[in-house]
Amino acid sequence: MSTQVWLGILFLALVVIWILELYWVARMATEWGRDPLTLVSGAAIFFIFAAPLTLIAPGLVERVGDFWDAVVHPLRTRARRHQSTPRLVMPGRTVLLEQERIRIGRYPNNDIVIDHPTVSAYHAELVQRPDGRYELYDRESRNGTRINGTPVRQAILKDGDHITLGAITIHYLEGSKTLEALNRGGVPLKRR
């Protein structure tokens, strides 16, 4: 085989190692309680040294990821100006989602308290992703979490989704059309 073929094989092997390392960094970030997107975007620049540098110098990797977030943030903000603030519509109230992390459950120290016997003490959590969308995580709840009737452990929310915590259904709204429907009273709410 020629030198070019060997170099091509070597380069392909290095790219595969790099992708596997980035996958590992993303998996470990959730275990470490860090933002996977920030760590992966920070580690990606170091090519095949992504995993070793994440272990040795996680602060450096996070700073690089924060730099990329700062570069992208103005673009993301400009794109979000034309969108309305996402909200949860539940029986008796509407909650604007303006925090990056929102805990939902029966206990009073949650951000959103739902006092119902089928809702666990710390039932679920909403986490805002870097792209502005919210991701729902079930926190090992006793009666489970469903989106549009399907049981989930985690899922990215879409406009109009019905989130069911135990026996309580909440409506997730983010678009202006659904906001207009809400203002007219046309958004159906279900209680099970």
Side-chain angles (χ1 to χ4, degrees):
M1 282 193 196
S2 71
T3 306
Q4 286 182 333
V5 172
W6 281 111
L7 286 176
I9 292 171
L10 176 65
F11 181 73
L12 183 61
L14 292 175
V15 168
V16 169
I17 290 169
W18 178 55
I19 290 170
L20 291 172
E21 285 182 350
L22 293 179
Y23 175 75
W24 177 83
V25 167
R27 302 262 311 179
M28 294 309 292
T30 55
E31 286 184 26
W32 296 334
R34 295 201 168 127
D35 179 31
L37 189 60
T38 300
L39 271 186
V40 168
S41 62
I45 198 167
F46 298 110
F47 194 51
I48 62 166
F49 300 108
L53 271 173
T54 302
L55 287 173
I56 295 168
L60 170 68
V61 171
E62 250 180 322
R63 280 195 302 271
V64 172
D66 289 339
F67 167 77
W68 289 119
D69 187 48
V71 168
V72 172
H73 185 71
L75 302 173
R76 190 171 54 228
T77 304
R78 206 174 312 135
R80 255 194 272 160
R81 276 189 196 136
H82 303 290
Q83 299 174 352
S84 61
T85 303
R87 64 198 72 236
L88 294 178
V89 180
M90 56 193 79
R93 65 185 164 145
T94 298
V95 178
L96 294 176
L97 302 179
E98 298 176 318
Q99 297 170 246
E100 289 182 12
R101 190 172 291 274
I102 301 159
R103 293 179 306 158
I104 305 170
R106 195 176 68 249
Y107 279 8
N109 61 342
N110 285 291
D111 300 306
I112 299 175
V113 177
I114 302 175
D115 189 17
H116 192 275
T118 62
V119 175
S120 294
Y122 302 102
H123 199 104
E125 186 172 25
L126 292 173
V127 177
Q128 189 175 30
R129 296 165 45 95
D131 63 4
R133 297 181 297 168
Y134 277 91
E135 191 162 2
L136 175 75
Y137 293 90
D138 179 82
R139 292 296 174 205
E140 304 298 322
S141 63
R142 183 183 31 164
N143 292 315
T145 300
R146 296 181 303 282
I147 294 182
N148 302 323
T150 303
V152 296
R153 285 281 182 208
Q154 80 180 65
I156 297 172
L157 295 175
K158 297 183 303 292
D159 186 29
D161 278 346
H162 289 273
I163 304 165
T164 306
L165 309 173
I168 301 296
T169 298
I170 301 169
H171 203 90
Y172 174 77
L173 302 175
E174 63 183 21
S176 57
K177 288 182 182 177
T178 51
L179 181 58
E180 290 170 16
L182 174 64
N183 291 335
R184 289 191 317 266
V187 178
L189 296 176
K190 292 191 262 180
R191 183 185 282 254
R192 291 185 180 196

